[in-house]
Amino acid sequence: MTLTEAKTLLQANGQEHVLRFWDTLGPAAQAALLAQIATLDFAAIGRMQALLRDAGKPASQAAPFEPAPVEAPEGDALAAHVAQGQELLRQGKVAALLVAGGQGSRLGYDGPKGAYPIGPITDRPLFWFHARKLLGLKRTYGKPVPFYVMTSEANDAPTRACFEANDYFGLDRQDVFFFTQGMWPALDPQGKIILDQPGHIFMSPDGHGGVLAALDRSGALADMAARGIEHVFFFQVDNPMVDIADPLFVGLHAAKGADMTLKVCKKREAHEGMGVVVVRDGAYAMVEYSELSDEQMERTNPDGSLWLAYGSPAIHMFSRAFLQAEAARHMPLHLAHKKIAMVDDAGQTHKPAAPNGYKFEKFIFDVIPNAKTLVTLAFDRAEEFSPVKNAEGNDSPATAKRDLQAKWRRWLAQAGVTLPDTLPVEIDPAHALNAAQLKDKGLQIG
Ligand code: UTP
């Protein structure tokens, strides 16, 4: 992009202030700024400005909703779904999609969150546990589950380096596909793009919902189609307990012909910060924790159980066809008022004490209302969910390591091995994906 083209584009969109320090920049900084301007999506920025204008208006009363029905198959139905899921894995029709482009600001770790050491004995990273499960699936079913890993501009290189340094954790390189999500500028309250340096536009990842456009743009969707993938297991980087592409989930999703299937688990307590799946105006939707009133969260059924008993940990199955169709749509935007470093008119950068601008993100669960068939499956969180979100307290490395070890101790007990509580435990998922496999294969102490 030339300077003249940049000026024309910015003027047409009321953003000419982006070039106000142009004459003070050296040639490299000028070239970098032009390159940044070339990446701006002004149609999306227009939608951000519209959202900002509407943000001050009183919200329309949201329609009432009911909690979505939850499936918990048992007996013959359960066995049939597991068998179908296993068959799809044997046919190589299942892929895994990891969103790992987040900034992990609550954890405060210097590096991609997936590189965070979580192995209780070995300090192996979160990525290791995910990748070794995929290796375990390949060994069990004879076909790879291709691994699509979304990064962001900020953590793409260190993420790839982590895979390289660990020899892809034993996976075939050709079965791992990295792709990078989009980056968006932030806007000030007047809808102007924020510069954090005289020659630099502040940019941040466009949210986990950015995965749809990024899958399409990167060729990942085409790659899935070429490999004959029909079903895609979606998960987040921070949960080392996740049961990737477990046959029940895959089989139930396929049997129902669902566009999307969500795993849901019992909330720890009424106010736990999880979204809930609901039916509103005849369509499924996710209601975020922040949108729920105390009354809604605390409401109970006649038997004393919570009315909104189940929350979503963002573990989903998608049909590839649904992902493809959704990638062509504009997702709704969400805005967050944040403290954003900004240059003043003298070109000095200031870190504000209070929120001064708006970041915009897309959320994957906004596709829910578009799903023609949607299913929710209850799962046991003690077996499958303990995320690393915070540095300390709930949902921290300490609780994830505790819950991982409690689960492995249960598996060992089922295999007839009882260990003292003080002895740390760690199991390689490539050796055993579940208690039954551990019992079959026995222990190999390594
Ligand atoms: P979180 O919302 O927990 O955010 O992301 P985070 O960025 O990891 O951590 P905080 O909020 O800054 O502390 C849930 C999942 O979505 C991914 C994250 O990597 C994580 O797996 N994510 C989030 C993206 O891939 N891109 C984004 O833009 C945001």
Side-chain angles (χ1 to χ4, degrees), residues 293-319:
S293 66
D294 285 347
E295 194 203 335
Q296 286 168 327
M297 283 189 276
E298 289 163 13
R299 181 172 159 187
T300 51
N301 297 313
D303 66 1
S305 60
L306 282 178
W307 181 61
L308 298 174
Y310 290 92
S312 162
I315 301 171
H316 312 315
M317 287 296 309
F318 290 106
S319 77

mmCIF file of all heavy atoms in Angstrom, residues 293-319:
data_model
loop_
_atom_site.group_PDB
_atom_site.id
_atom_site.type_symbol
_atom_site.label_atom_id
_atom_site.label_comp_id
_atom_site.label_asym_id
_atom_site.label_seq_id
_atom_site.Cartn_x
_atom_site.Cartn_y
_atom_site.Cartn_z
ATOM 1 N N SER A 293 -29.123 -12.522 36.021
ATOM 2 C CA SER A 293 -29.385 -11.817 37.287
ATOM 3 C C SER A 293 -29.136 -12.795 38.444
ATOM 4 O O SER A 293 -29.138 -14.016 38.258
ATOM 5 C CB SER A 293 -30.830 -11.327 37.321
ATOM 6 O OG SER A 293 -31.693 -12.450 37.344
ATOM 7 N N ASP A 294 -28.962 -12.230 39.654
ATOM 8 C CA ASP A 294 -28.806 -13.087 40.846
ATOM 9 C C ASP A 294 -30.008 -14.011 40.967
ATOM 10 O O ASP A 294 -29.871 -15.194 41.286
ATOM 11 C CB ASP A 294 -28.718 -12.229 42.117
ATOM 12 C CG ASP A 294 -27.362 -11.557 42.230
ATOM 13 O OD1 ASP A 294 -26.454 -11.951 41.468
ATOM 14 O OD2 ASP A 294 -27.223 -10.632 43.045
ATOM 15 N N GLU A 295 -31.185 -13.462 40.685
ATOM 16 C CA GLU A 295 -32.403 -14.248 40.833
ATOM 17 C C GLU A 295 -32.383 -15.458 39.882
ATOM 18 O O GLU A 295 -32.730 -16.575 40.270
ATOM 19 C CB GLU A 295 -33.597 -13.341 40.533
ATOM 20 C CG GLU A 295 -34.909 -13.903 40.952
ATOM 21 C CD GLU A 295 -36.049 -13.267 40.168
ATOM 22 O OE1 GLU A 295 -35.903 -12.132 39.680
ATOM 23 O OE2 GLU A 295 -37.075 -13.946 40.037
ATOM 24 N N GLN A 296 -31.964 -15.206 38.638
ATOM 25 C CA GLN A 296 -31.909 -16.320 37.673
ATOM 26 C C GLN A 296 -30.872 -17.359 38.107
ATOM 27 O O GLN A 296 -31.111 -18.569 38.015
ATOM 28 C CB GLN A 296 -31.551 -15.794 36.281
ATOM 29 C CG GLN A 296 -32.708 -15.068 35.621
ATOM 30 C CD GLN A 296 -32.269 -14.310 34.377
ATOM 31 O OE1 GLN A 296 -31.153 -13.800 34.289
ATOM 32 N NE2 GLN A 296 -33.166 -14.223 33.407
ATOM 33 N N MET A 297 -29.723 -16.889 38.586
ATOM 34 C CA MET A 297 -28.667 -17.837 38.963
ATOM 35 C C MET A 297 -29.058 -18.660 40.183
ATOM 36 O O MET A 297 -28.690 -19.824 40.299
ATOM 37 C CB MET A 297 -27.360 -17.087 39.242
ATOM 38 C CG MET A 297 -26.664 -16.653 37.969
ATOM 39 S SD MET A 297 -25.030 -16.002 38.251
ATOM 40 C CE MET A 297 -25.382 -14.316 38.661
ATOM 41 N N GLU A 298 -29.813 -18.018 41.101
ATOM 42 C CA GLU A 298 -30.099 -18.693 42.377
ATOM 43 C C GLU A 298 -31.416 -19.470 42.356
ATOM 44 O O GLU A 298 -31.716 -20.212 43.288
ATOM 45 C CB GLU A 298 -30.125 -17.644 43.505
ATOM 46 C CG GLU A 298 -28.719 -17.121 43.793
ATOM 47 C CD GLU A 298 -28.712 -15.820 44.588
ATOM 48 O OE1 GLU A 298 -29.776 -15.443 45.136
ATOM 49 O OE2 GLU A 298 -27.644 -15.184 44.636
ATOM 50 N N ARG A 299 -32.195 -19.305 41.312
ATOM 51 C CA ARG A 299 -33.504 -19.963 41.237
ATOM 52 C C ARG A 299 -33.350 -21.490 41.317
ATOM 53 O O ARG A 299 -32.441 -22.062 40.715
ATOM 54 C CB ARG A 299 -34.169 -19.567 39.905
ATOM 55 C CG ARG A 299 -35.521 -20.154 39.717
ATOM 56 C CD ARG A 299 -36.176 -19.553 38.490
ATOM 57 N NE ARG A 299 -37.228 -20.429 38.023
ATOM 58 C CZ ARG A 299 -37.908 -20.257 36.903
ATOM 59 N NH1 ARG A 299 -37.648 -19.236 36.114
ATOM 60 N NH2 ARG A 299 -38.857 -21.096 36.559
ATOM 61 N N THR A 300 -34.263 -22.100 42.079
ATOM 62 C CA THR A 300 -34.190 -23.565 42.203
ATOM 63 C C THR A 300 -35.479 -24.220 41.708
ATOM 64 O O THR A 300 -36.536 -23.593 41.652
ATOM 65 C CB THR A 300 -33.957 -23.995 43.671
ATOM 66 O OG1 THR A 300 -34.927 -23.332 44.489
ATOM 67 C CG2 THR A 300 -32.570 -23.640 44.150
ATOM 68 N N ASN A 301 -35.365 -25.496 41.373
ATOM 69 C CA ASN A 301 -36.519 -26.334 41.018
ATOM 70 C C ASN A 301 -37.178 -26.800 42.314
ATOM 71 O O ASN A 301 -36.584 -26.691 43.399
ATOM 72 C CB ASN A 301 -36.039 -27.538 40.208
ATOM 73 C CG ASN A 301 -35.399 -27.107 38.891
ATOM 74 O OD1 ASN A 301 -35.956 -26.287 38.180
ATOM 75 N ND2 ASN A 301 -34.233 -27.642 38.603
ATOM 76 N N PRO A 302 -38.410 -27.351 42.216
ATOM 77 C CA PRO A 302 -39.089 -27.811 43.441
ATOM 78 C C PRO A 302 -38.236 -28.800 44.256
ATOM 79 O O PRO A 302 -38.317 -28.824 45.465
ATOM 80 C CB PRO A 302 -40.357 -28.490 42.906
ATOM 81 C CG PRO A 302 -40.611 -27.832 41.593
ATOM 82 C CD PRO A 302 -39.277 -27.460 41.039
ATOM 83 N N ASP A 303 -37.378 -29.571 43.585
ATOM 84 C CA ASP A 303 -36.561 -30.542 44.342
ATOM 85 C C ASP A 303 -35.296 -29.911 44.933
ATOM 86 O O ASP A 303 -34.441 -30.602 45.486
ATOM 87 C CB ASP A 303 -36.180 -31.740 43.457
ATOM 88 C CG ASP A 303 -35.250 -31.336 42.312
ATOM 89 O OD1 ASP A 303 -34.884 -30.148 42.198
ATOM 90 O OD2 ASP A 303 -34.880 -32.230 41.520
ATOM 91 N N GLY A 304 -35.168 -28.607 44.799
ATOM 92 C CA GLY A 304 -34.029 -27.914 45.417
ATOM 93 C C GLY A 304 -32.827 -27.776 44.490
ATOM 94 O O GLY A 304 -31.883 -27.044 44.782
ATOM 95 N N SER A 305 -32.841 -28.461 43.324
ATOM 96 C CA SER A 305 -31.701 -28.341 42.401
ATOM 97 C C SER A 305 -31.752 -26.976 41.697
ATOM 98 O O SER A 305 -32.815 -26.351 41.604
ATOM 99 C CB SER A 305 -31.745 -29.474 41.371
ATOM 100 O OG SER A 305 -32.955 -29.399 40.644
ATOM 101 N N LEU A 306 -30.618 -26.543 41.196
ATOM 102 C CA LEU A 306 -30.573 -25.253 40.499
ATOM 103 C C LEU A 306 -31.359 -25.322 39.194
ATOM 104 O O LEU A 306 -31.266 -26.311 38.459
ATOM 105 C CB LEU A 306 -29.127 -24.880 40.163
ATOM 106 C CG LEU A 306 -28.246 -24.328 41.287
ATOM 107 C CD1 LEU A 306 -26.838 -24.078 40.740
ATOM 108 C CD2 LEU A 306 -28.820 -23.053 41.868
ATOM 109 N N TRP A 307 -32.099 -24.262 38.908
ATOM 110 C CA TRP A 307 -32.847 -24.172 37.644
ATOM 111 C C TRP A 307 -31.847 -24.136 36.476
ATOM 112 O O TRP A 307 -32.005 -24.852 35.494
ATOM 113 C CB TRP A 307 -33.703 -22.904 37.686
ATOM 114 C CG TRP A 307 -34.560 -22.636 36.496
ATOM 115 C CD1 TRP A 307 -35.557 -23.430 36.010
ATOM 116 C CD2 TRP A 307 -34.504 -21.477 35.653
ATOM 117 N NE1 TRP A 307 -36.139 -22.833 34.916
ATOM 118 C CE2 TRP A 307 -35.514 -21.628 34.670
ATOM 119 C CE3 TRP A 307 -33.733 -20.316 35.638
ATOM 120 C CZ2 TRP A 307 -35.739 -20.675 33.684
ATOM 121 C CZ3 TRP A 307 -33.966 -19.365 34.656
ATOM 122 C CH2 TRP A 307 -34.951 -19.550 33.692
ATOM 123 N N LEU A 308 -30.815 -23.325 36.611
ATOM 124 C CA LEU A 308 -29.742 -23.285 35.609
ATOM 125 C C LEU A 308 -28.583 -24.114 36.152
ATOM 126 O O LEU A 308 -27.556 -23.583 36.582
ATOM 127 C CB LEU A 308 -29.305 -21.838 35.340
ATOM 128 C CG LEU A 308 -30.385 -20.923 34.769
ATOM 129 C CD1 LEU A 308 -29.883 -19.481 34.673
ATOM 130 C CD2 LEU A 308 -30.848 -21.392 33.381
ATOM 131 N N ALA A 309 -28.766 -25.422 36.152
ATOM 132 C CA ALA A 309 -27.811 -26.301 36.836
ATOM 133 C C ALA A 309 -26.527 -26.494 36.035
ATOM 134 O O ALA A 309 -25.465 -26.711 36.608
ATOM 135 C CB ALA A 309 -28.468 -27.667 37.082
ATOM 136 N N TYR A 310 -26.630 -26.408 34.702
ATOM 137 C CA TYR A 310 -25.496 -26.786 33.841
ATOM 138 C C TYR A 310 -24.835 -25.573 33.195
ATOM 139 O O TYR A 310 -25.512 -24.668 32.719
ATOM 140 C CB TYR A 310 -25.979 -27.718 32.724
ATOM 141 C CG TYR A 310 -26.374 -29.091 33.215
ATOM 142 C CD1 TYR A 310 -27.696 -29.370 33.571
ATOM 143 C CD2 TYR A 310 -25.430 -30.101 33.331
ATOM 144 C CE1 TYR A 310 -28.054 -30.626 34.025
ATOM 145 C CE2 TYR A 310 -25.783 -31.359 33.787
ATOM 146 C CZ TYR A 310 -27.093 -31.610 34.134
ATOM 147 O OH TYR A 310 -27.440 -32.859 34.580
ATOM 148 N N GLY A 311 -23.509 -25.611 33.150
ATOM 149 C CA GLY A 311 -22.758 -24.551 32.478
ATOM 150 C C GLY A 311 -21.956 -25.128 31.321
ATOM 151 O O GLY A 311 -21.722 -26.342 31.244
ATOM 152 N N SER A 312 -21.523 -24.237 30.423
ATOM 153 C CA SER A 312 -20.745 -24.671 29.258
ATOM 154 C C SER A 312 -19.265 -24.352 29.453
ATOM 155 O O SER A 312 -18.899 -23.196 29.637
ATOM 156 C CB SER A 312 -21.249 -23.959 28.002
ATOM 157 O OG SER A 312 -20.269 -24.047 26.989
ATOM 158 N N PRO A 313 -18.402 -25.370 29.385
ATOM 159 C CA PRO A 313 -16.947 -25.129 29.463
ATOM 160 C C PRO A 313 -16.304 -24.932 28.099
ATOM 161 O O PRO A 313 -15.084 -25.030 27.980
ATOM 162 C CB PRO A 313 -16.454 -26.418 30.122
ATOM 163 C CG PRO A 313 -17.375 -27.464 29.576
ATOM 164 C CD PRO A 313 -18.721 -26.810 29.336
ATOM 165 N N ALA A 314 -17.118 -24.685 27.064
ATOM 166 C CA ALA A 314 -16.601 -24.472 25.696
ATOM 167 C C ALA A 314 -15.909 -25.719 25.146
ATOM 168 O O ALA A 314 -14.789 -25.657 24.636
ATOM 169 C CB ALA A 314 -15.687 -23.253 25.629
ATOM 170 N N ILE A 315 -16.573 -26.861 25.302
ATOM 171 C CA ILE A 315 -16.135 -28.113 24.664
ATOM 172 C C ILE A 315 -17.255 -28.484 23.698
ATOM 173 O O ILE A 315 -18.372 -28.784 24.132
ATOM 174 C CB ILE A 315 -15.930 -29.231 25.711
ATOM 175 C CG1 ILE A 315 -14.892 -28.816 26.750
ATOM 176 C CG2 ILE A 315 -15.540 -30.539 25.018
ATOM 177 C CD1 ILE A 315 -14.782 -29.773 27.941
ATOM 178 N N HIS A 316 -16.965 -28.416 22.409
ATOM 179 C CA HIS A 316 -18.036 -28.564 21.414
ATOM 180 C C HIS A 316 -17.654 -29.562 20.323
ATOM 181 O O HIS A 316 -16.475 -29.785 20.059
ATOM 182 C CB HIS A 316 -18.320 -27.228 20.699
ATOM 183 C CG HIS A 316 -18.479 -26.044 21.601
ATOM 184 N ND1 HIS A 316 -19.236 -26.064 22.747
ATOM 185 C CD2 HIS A 316 -17.976 -24.775 21.526
ATOM 186 C CE1 HIS A 316 -19.203 -24.877 23.321
ATOM 187 N NE2 HIS A 316 -18.442 -24.079 22.612
ATOM 188 N N MET A 317 -18.690 -30.097 19.663
ATOM 189 C CA MET A 317 -18.514 -30.776 18.371
ATOM 190 C C MET A 317 -19.228 -29.918 17.327
ATOM 191 O O MET A 317 -20.330 -29.415 17.583
ATOM 192 C CB MET A 317 -19.186 -32.157 18.355
ATOM 193 C CG MET A 317 -18.528 -33.258 19.131
ATOM 194 S SD MET A 317 -16.897 -33.766 18.566
ATOM 195 C CE MET A 317 -17.156 -34.066 16.815
ATOM 196 N N PHE A 318 -18.613 -29.793 16.178
ATOM 197 C CA PHE A 318 -19.250 -29.114 15.046
ATOM 198 C C PHE A 318 -19.225 -30.054 13.850
ATOM 199 O O PHE A 318 -18.266 -30.830 13.686
ATOM 200 C CB PHE A 318 -18.456 -27.871 14.633
ATOM 201 C CG PHE A 318 -18.507 -26.734 15.616
ATOM 202 C CD1 PHE A 318 -17.414 -26.443 16.414
ATOM 203 C CD2 PHE A 318 -19.640 -25.944 15.724
ATOM 204 C CE1 PHE A 318 -17.446 -25.393 17.310
ATOM 205 C CE2 PHE A 318 -19.683 -24.883 16.627
ATOM 206 C CZ PHE A 318 -18.585 -24.609 17.419
ATOM 207 N N SER A 319 -20.244 -29.947 13.012
ATOM 208 C CA SER A 319 -20.085 -30.604 11.715
ATOM 209 C C SER A 319 -19.233 -29.666 10.857
ATOM 210 O O SER A 319 -19.343 -28.430 10.969
ATOM 211 C CB SER A 319 -21.438 -30.883 11.065
ATOM 212 O OG SER A 319 -21.967 -29.703 10.522
#
